[in-house]
Each structure stands twice: as structure tokens, then as C-alpha cells.
Amino acid sequence: MCTVCGCGDGETKIEGQHVHRHADGTVHTHAHDHGDAHSHDHGAAHDHGHGHGHDHGHEHGHDHEHGHGHGHGNEHGNEHGNERGSEHGHAHAGDLHYGHGAAHSHAPGMSQERMVTIERNILDKNNTFARGNRRRFEEQGIFALNLVSSPGSGKTTLLVETIKRLGAELPLAVIEGDQQTTNDAERIRATGTRAVQINTGKGCHLDASQIEHALTHLTPAADSVLFIENVGNLVCPSAFDLGEAHKVVVLSVTEGEDKPLKYPDMFAAASLMLLNKVDLLPHLDFDVAQAIEAARRVNPAIAVLQVSATKGIGMDAWLDWIRAGSRAAAAHRADLAALQTKRLAMLEEHIASLR
């Protein structure tokens, strides 16, 4: 994962502002000109020598308090880790597999134990941010979805068409994640929907602290739907809980039926697979049944919808799935509010009895 390759050292920007998180958890943002060397005193000692070798607190992890029927990556990664060289493919003499160790990865000069320790530290820190995001979403009735896929699967087009169909019915907001450019956020804003762009620099995924910070810019409405379009990558985003209700993995029929077996952690972490661009099936040698079977080998509980964003195929089922999730989130918010009111009344009654 990215704790090994070093992509976590990328420079994060939210709406063009540089975001820096210090070891103590404090965050600051600033805009500056990269033409000159500079440094800042923000109350914590650090040096910005571009380069930018900042630690952006890729404090990623999983809070398993939430009750959807999937284990957000790590749990499934362990569950399926021993299958990858056998059930998910046939090993041959001379093949090299670096995922069999305790860390399910490899870095030159680093032991498996050290890699596990580093990963746990990073993931454990993110639990705080993921819990905070999830608490905020639940208290405000926000149905948050984390859209993940390979680059070019059609996530943004799917999102634009979804917004066009739902925008008059539900309050919507979008967080866009890309290494560079604001292109996708601009496409979303063109629909009239509010969007915030996160640029991760070298980073290959969004993390919960970035989402927390983006929410201060976006402030989604109560009982709204929040779409988080993650960086195009089927590896690292699988491991990082953003506080979402569900991961939704988009698989294009132009990619190949065995993608779920090649990248099992992502499909194991997802609640729903959208098989996209099905309008192209007459022109491709793609076996839909085989693709679905592959996804359910790594995640028997995964739901599957076949869609074409450009032709509208299957969009009604996708919109109904969103509506159902949004209704459930709003109902949960109302239940929490009622419980809080009841507890307050009981407390007031208890205080009155002591007088």
C-alpha cells in the first residue's frame, strides 16, 4: 500500500490552498507562489523547502462501528490474502508474489514487521478523523458515498448524469479527488451543484482528514447526499475509510472481467459494484456473468447494478438505491434527535427531583 511507496508525501491542496497537517494534528492552509523558497511559522516547527516533503497526516484507518455489511478493506484483505496466489490465479514456477507476508506488500530493506507497524500507526490515526466524519454525517442525516474505480471508468460522467436526475429532488454536494487539476469539480459545478476539489499531489487516494477539512469549505445540508469521487486507483483507496456510508466501486466493461480478482481488496471493501458503459457490450468481448462472479468470489455480499451513464441504462435502479440510502440516513438522524430530546427531558426531570 502507499505506506510503502511513499506517495503519502504528496502535497495536498483544497480549492488551490495548500493544506499542511502537523504531527500534533493541527492544520493550516495557505496559498503561496512556488517561484520562491519560503518558510512559515505556524506555531509548530517545520520547513517548507520545495520539495515539499510534508507529512500530511495520511492518518487512514477504519472505524468498524458502522453497520453496513462489509469490512472496509483490511478485514477482507486478511480474509482473502492467502487465496490470491491460489484461488485467484494459478502460480507457476518463476512467478514472483510479494503479497504473501504479514504486510501483504514489500519494500526493499524493510521487514514485514516494520511495515505492519508503520501501516497500523497510520491507519489508527485516521480512525479519529473517520469517526468524526461519520458522526457528523449521522447527526446531519447526510448519506455519504465514496466512489472508487480505475482512471477512465466513467465516474465523473456517471456523477454528472446522476446529479442531473436527482438535483431537483435531493440536496447534493460533491468532493472531488484528483492528483492535479480542477477539471472534474468544474464539470460538477456546471450542473449547479456545489463541489470542492482536493488535489493530492503525489498522493494516490483521499484520506479522512482531507475530507474533514473539505467539509469546512463545503458544509453539506442536512439530509443531503454527499458524493466523494476518489482518486482513480483500485489499490490504496480500498484501505482508507473516509467516514462514508458505503464504498461504491465502478467497473467499466472496457476494463476486463477479472479486475475484481486482480484487485480484490477494493471489491471486498465495496457495498455496491456499478458495471458501467454496458451500452458498449455489443462491441466488446466482455462476459458480464464472469465479471459478477469474480466480484462475488471476493465479496459474496456485494450488490451489482448494470448502468450506462451516457445512454441512461440502469440509472433508475441506481437512483432508487441512492434514494433508499438517503431516506435511511434522514430517518437515523431523526431517531438520534428524538433520543437526544428524550435524554435531555430525563436529565431535566432528574435535576428537578433533586431540588
Side-chain angles (χ1 to χ4, degrees):
M1 59 179 292
C2 60
T3 54
V4 176
C5 71
C7 68
D9 293 331
E11 182 177 82
T12 299
K13 295 180 186 177
I14 298 179
E15 291 299 300
Q17 289 189 317
H18 296 269
V19 180
H20 305 297
R21 183 174 294 277
H22 303 291
D24 62 0
T26 59
V27 173
H28 74 269
T29 62
H30 60 87
H32 52 68
D33 179 4
H34 284 275
D36 300 309
H38 61 281
S39 63
H40 306 280
D41 180 9
H42 295 281
H46 64 288
D47 176 41
H48 294 241
H50 294 256
H52 279 292
H54 310 302
D55 177 6
H56 293 290
H58 279 248
E59 299 138 347
H60 318 289
H62 300 293
D63 170 20
H64 296 287
E65 293 174 8
H66 53 289
H68 13 290
H70 59 280
H72 285 296
N74 278 355
E75 180 178 319
H76 290 282
N78 293 334
E79 180 179 326
H80 296 285
N82 293 330
E83 300 174 2
R84 292 174 194 166
S86 53
E87 181 183 341
H88 293 172
H90 300 286
H92 297 279
D95 289 348
L96 301 176
H97 195 321
Y98 290 99
H100 285 315
H104 301 297
S105 188
H106 168 76
M110 188 179 296
S111 70
Q112 290 287 296
E113 291 75 12
R114 176 61 177 156
M115 289 170 63
V116 168
T117 298
I118 292 172
E119 182 174 333
R120 282 178 178 167
N121 289 342
I122 291 173
L123 297 178
D124 286 347
K125 289 180 182 178
N126 191 63
N127 281 336
T128 301
F129 298 106
R131 277 195 299 269
N133 293 343
R134 183 164 288 110
R135 187 182 309 112
R136 175 175 181 167
F137 296 149
E138 290 180 349
E139 290 175 351
Q140 297 183 9
I142 296 170
F143 186 49
L145 298 175
N146 181 2
L147 274 62
V148 292
S149 77
S150 300
S153 68
K155 288 196 307 298
T156 310
T157 298
L158 176 70
L159 198 46
V160 167
E161 294 304 317
T162 299
I163 289 168
K164 288 179 181 178
R165 290 165 169 80
L166 276 183
E169 179 181 337
L170 291 170
L172 307 175
V174 177
I175 296 174
E176 284 288 344
D178 283 298
Q179 290 189 320
Q180 300 293 344
T181 84
T182 61
N183 293 351
D184 287 353
E186 289 165 4
R187 288 179 63 186
I188 300 300
R189 290 172 188 143
T191 69
T193 297
R194 296 184 63 220
V196 167
Q197 179 72 56
I198 298 176
N199 290 131
T200 61
K202 291 189 297 180
C204 59
H205 58 85
L206 296 175
D207 65 49
S209 65
Q210 293 168 342
I211 299 304
E212 177 197 58
H213 198 71
L215 290 171
T216 66
H217 293 256
L218 193 60
T219 58
D223 298 340
S224 63
V225 178
L226 173 65
F227 297 101
I228 303 169
E229 184 178 351
N230 217 314
V231 178
N233 179 0
L234 279 178
V235 184
C236 297
S238 67
F240 303 118
D241 180 13
L242 306 181
E244 72 273 12
H246 301 283
K247 283 184 175 67
V248 176
V249 61
V250 181
L251 175 65
S252 166
V253 298
T254 58
E255 295 182 64
E257 305 93 334
D258 61 349
K259 226 21 151 359
L261 302 182
K262 290 181 175 178
Y263 302 94
D265 286 350
M266 181 62 79
F267 291 84
S271 301
L272 174 68
M273 179 174 79
L274 294 177
L275 195 58
N276 194 25
K277 304 185 184 181
V278 294
D279 56 301
L280 299 179
L281 284 171
H283 311 288
L284 300 170
D285 183 18
F286 183 92
D287 190 324
V288 171
Q290 185 178 335
I292 295 173
E293 191 273 336
R296 288 182 172 153
R297 279 176 65 183
V298 297
N299 183 358
I302 197 169
V304 179
L305 295 175
Q306 300 180 44
V307 299
S308 167
T310 57
K311 302 299 181 183
I313 299 169
M315 290 296 287
D316 288 343
W318 163 232
L319 298 182
D320 285 344
W321 188 88
I322 296 171
R323 291 185 184 106
S326 181
R327 286 194 299 268
H332 184 56
R333 178 188 66 82
D335 289 343
L336 289 176
L339 180 60
Q340 186 175 18
T341 300
K342 181 179 179 180
R343 286 174 174 171
L344 182 59
M346 291 174 63
L347 179 61
E348 291 173 345
E349 183 179 343
H350 177 66
I351 292 173
S353 70
L354 298 176
R355 290 173 180 167

